[in-house]
């Protein structure tokens, strides 16, 4: 029997959409093996005509260098009706190209993990000879933009009560909605080795507490300043009271800059890593921007979180999500971040231990399996 074909639509804006797409692909293979074939494509960059295919490239520039402009764009488009009318107009340009893509992949089901592909896809699906179910897996945690939510979908998977309410306000009904958590890679659900074993494997000191410092797939924000302050704060006359793992993601410039630096605290410096589950399992806490993917993975790994910043708009709601659930803190300056890491490592306060416990309780490492099984009901029955 021919395997069922699942087509996952994403775009490489940030690291989260690709990570979620890969998590779902791994989840389908784990659940259904060779009964499914999963293709992941960047619909916007690889398949839309100019200038639509150029829009995603502006994202990194906007969030890195003109965050105020990104915030303005996000806020002015944050109204379900206005944004739907606008996206209907834009989607007409890409309709023919998207129809061709769907015809060539001939999927049995389509999953979107990106807010900009819904309108293009649903327009194109009207031209297909057979009905193809279309579902959305929202990869934002709390503050999901109205562009995510299209009332014509067969299912919509959200990761928090906040996102559920936003979907309801955008016109989706409870029968369309599922709340399981963010799809993170299945490896986060099954730790492979103990912390000590992982530390040895990754070249870390087996005993010293470790802080993971990162900021999304692109390595945006003040990672260098945070690392410098933590480096100074963890060094004491009796030796270091902790060690650092710095993950620069795709920010090569940052990695080169940090490589040439002198450190007094033990440090492991990485570019883009594929084994984030191992790095998280080897560490005691994390400093990160309020990226949904990283927060969900950190929770599943039981890591208390120090939020160092956020992308305006879609990540703002993740700050109260972390604070209200008592799984971390928000610190505005590198000096304050470094001080908190040092306090956590030297005092091992009850608050820190409660955060570890609360993180594990809030994390949903099984979310990917639950989402895949639920989508499987549309695919196989
Ligand atoms: N990531 C990774 N390797 C890296 C850096 C990041 O696999 O070196 C992953 C990280 O584990 C997470 C995603 O990239 O799954 C980042 O998503 P998030 O939503 O936190 O931020 P974004 O990059 O989308 O702004």
């Amino acid at each position: 029997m021919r395997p069922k074909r699942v087509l996952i639509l994403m775009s490489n804006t940030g690291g989260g959409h690709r990570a979620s797409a890969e998590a779902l692909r791994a989840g389908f293979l784990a659940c259904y093996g060779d009964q499914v074939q999963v293709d992941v494509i960047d619909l916007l960059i690889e398949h839309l005509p100019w200038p639509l295919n150029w829009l995603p490239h502006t994202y990194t520039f906007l969030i890195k260098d003109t965050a105020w402009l990104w915030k303005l764009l996000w806020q002015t488009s944050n109204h379900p009706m206005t944004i739907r009318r606008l996206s209907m107009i834009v989607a007409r340009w890409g309709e023919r190209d998207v129809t061709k893509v769907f015809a060539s992949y001939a999927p049995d089901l389509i999953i979107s993990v990106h807010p900009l592909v819904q309108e293009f896809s649903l327009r194109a699906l009207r031209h297909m000879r057979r009905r193809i179910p279309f579902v959305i897996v929202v990869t934002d945690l709390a503050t999901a933009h109205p562009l995510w939510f299209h009332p014509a979908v067969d299912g919509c998977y959200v990761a928090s009560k906040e996102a559920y309410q936003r979907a309801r306000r955008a016109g989706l009904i409870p029968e369309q909605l599922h709340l399981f958590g963010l799809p993170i890679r299945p490896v986060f659900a099954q730790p492979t080795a103990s912390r000590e074993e992982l530390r040895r494997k990754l070249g870390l000191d087996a005993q010293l507490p470790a802080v993971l410092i990162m900021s999304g797939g692109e390595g945006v924000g003040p990672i260098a300043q945070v690392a410098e302050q933590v480096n100074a704060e963890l060094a004491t006359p009796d030796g270091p009271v902790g060690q650092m793992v710095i993950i620069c993601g795709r920010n090569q410039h940052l990695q080169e800059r940090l490589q040439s630096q002198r450190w007094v605290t033990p440090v492991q410096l990485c570019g883009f890593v594929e084994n984030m589950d191992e790095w998280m399992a080897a560490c005691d806490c994390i400093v990160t921007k309020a990226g949904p993917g990283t927060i969900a993975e950190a929770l599943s790994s039981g890591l208390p979180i120090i939020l160092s910043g956020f992308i305006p708009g879609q990540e703002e709601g993740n700050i109260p999500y972390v604070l209200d659930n008592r799984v971390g803190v928000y610190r505005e300056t590198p000096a304050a971040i470094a001080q908190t890491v040092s306090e956590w490592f030297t005092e091992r306060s009850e608050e820190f231990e409660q955060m570890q416990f609360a993180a594990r309780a809030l994390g949903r490492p099984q979310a990917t399996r639950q989402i895949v099984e639920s989508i499987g009901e549309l695919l196989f029955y």
Side-chain angles (χ1 to χ4, degrees), residues 13-17 19-20 59 63 139-140 182 184-185 188 214-220 247-250 270-277 280 288-295 297 311 314-315:
T13 50
H17 303 294
S20 295
Y59 175 77
I63 59 163
T139 64
D140 280 326
L182 215 75
I184 58 174
R185 286 159 278 187
F188 282 92
M214 61 177 287
S215 196
E218 307 294 333
V220 290
I247 295 183
C248 302
R250 293 192 193 85
C270 310
F272 194 90
V273 302
E274 297 292 347
N275 57 340
M276 187 61 78
D277 56 306
M280 287 197 180
T288 174
K289 78 176 174 72
T294 306
I295 291 175
E297 291 163 358
I311 296 176
Q314 75 267 33
E315 288 184 358

Side-chain angles (χ1 to χ4, degrees), residues 88 95 99 102 119 121-129:
M88 278 160 76
E95 194 170 333
T99 308
F102 290 173
E119 197 67 49
S121 307
L122 288 160
R123 284 187 80 86
L125 282 176
R126 290 199 229 136
H127 302 292
M128 307 308 290
R129 282 208 207 102

